[in-house]
Amino acid sequence: MAIFEGAAVAIVTPMNSDGSVNYEKLDEIIEEQIAGSTDAIVICGTTGEASTLSHEEHLDVIERCVKTVNKRVPVIAGTGSNSTETAIYLSVEAEKRGADALLLVTPYYNKATQGGLYQHFAQTAKAVSIPVILYNVPSRTGCNIQAKTAAKLFKEVDNIVGIKEASGNFSQIAELMKLTDGKIDLYSGNDDQIVPLLALGGKGVISVLSNVAPKHTHDIVATFLAGDVKKSCELQLRALDLINALFIEVNPIPVKAAMNIMGKNVGPLRLPLTEMEADNAKKLEEAMKQFGLI
């Protein structure tokens, strides 16, 4: 059984003005997400600025999320690293803190071989008992999980159950689904490609868009899975301009700006991420107005 079906929010990590984690605001936006029909919370992913959290903060944020969610929806903790030892440490500790599942990004910068990727993911997954979703995002990591490698991991490591695919390579994704007989839990990692991935047998999306439009994102998936492909496609296309604006600069710069524009006060980013350029901020605000967020 899939960890979740539908739309999981890749939730931001709110910050205070001094750059420290704002745990009270995190509680607040988690409550808003659950009220907005979000199907799962992905904590400490790319959107959550995990790369600039200390290990202590990283695990504290996961623990706080687990406590606040209180089993109402699954909590999937991002615990990937370019160091296998670190990924294992974070994964074991996240399990201890109550995470329901893990999201493991491909090692970045190292540019591991496919054999290295296999060993990295297999050893990390075998260190825990909870389910693992692989995360393939070569545009950010410089490293691609090939279909044969992902399929081998799925078949040979019991708790590797799914993959978040953000490669945009539909031929590769189709090959993966063929190699796994459609049994691997496939999630879109790109908000503009939810419907095409669902058409290949996907279970849902791990979404940036959900931070600002949780119900709409949930409905894109729910209507497709209910059999209304036409309506799902309409919802996908209606959100396209907003999605494009949310990626006009590198994620999570625009989505944090959008949430602040909406009055959610999620605070600043941690360097090396900076606030949006003025021209791009105007484009984002216009897209938000057109979508009806403000």
Side-chain angles (χ1 to χ4, degrees), residues 198-274:
L198 292 174
L200 285 171
K203 302 279 188 179
V205 61
I206 296 175
S207 170
V208 175
L209 175 66
S210 285
N211 281 283
V212 295
K215 182 64 164 57
H216 187 95
T217 316
H218 164 88
D219 288 349
I220 292 173
V221 181
T223 54
F224 188 102
L225 296 179
D228 193 344
V229 176
K230 184 174 184 292
K231 178 65 173 176
S232 177
C233 188
E234 288 172 355
L235 291 170
Q236 170 83 87
L237 295 178
R238 178 172 174 251
L240 195 59
D241 287 346
L242 176 59
I243 292 165
N244 289 338
L246 287 171
F247 289 90
I248 199 169
E249 291 185 22
V250 69
N251 177 52
I253 292 174
V255 72
K256 267 199 158 178
M259 294 177 77
N260 286 329
I261 290 168
M262 294 170 72
K264 296 186 183 296
N265 300 320
V266 295
L269 302 127
R270 284 188 177 177
L271 287 168
L273 298 184
T274 54

Side-chain angles (χ1 to χ4, degrees), residues 31-90:
E31 292 297 342
E32 289 176 357
Q33 285 294 319
I34 293 173
S37 301
T38 282
D39 299 289
I41 307 286
V42 174
I43 190 77
C44 293
T46 307
T47 312
E49 298 179 76
S51 58
T52 51
L53 296 175
S54 70
H55 290 171
E56 183 179 14
E57 288 174 321
H58 194 136
L59 296 171
D60 284 348
V61 169
I62 292 169
E63 187 170 8
R64 182 65 168 252
C65 180
V66 168
K67 181 179 178 181
T68 303
V69 170
N70 194 25
K71 298 294 183 184
R72 288 175 289 173
V73 296
V75 173
I76 303 164
T79 53
S81 172
N82 66 330
S83 162
T84 304
E85 183 180 2
T86 300
I88 290 172
Y89 166 72
L90 291 173

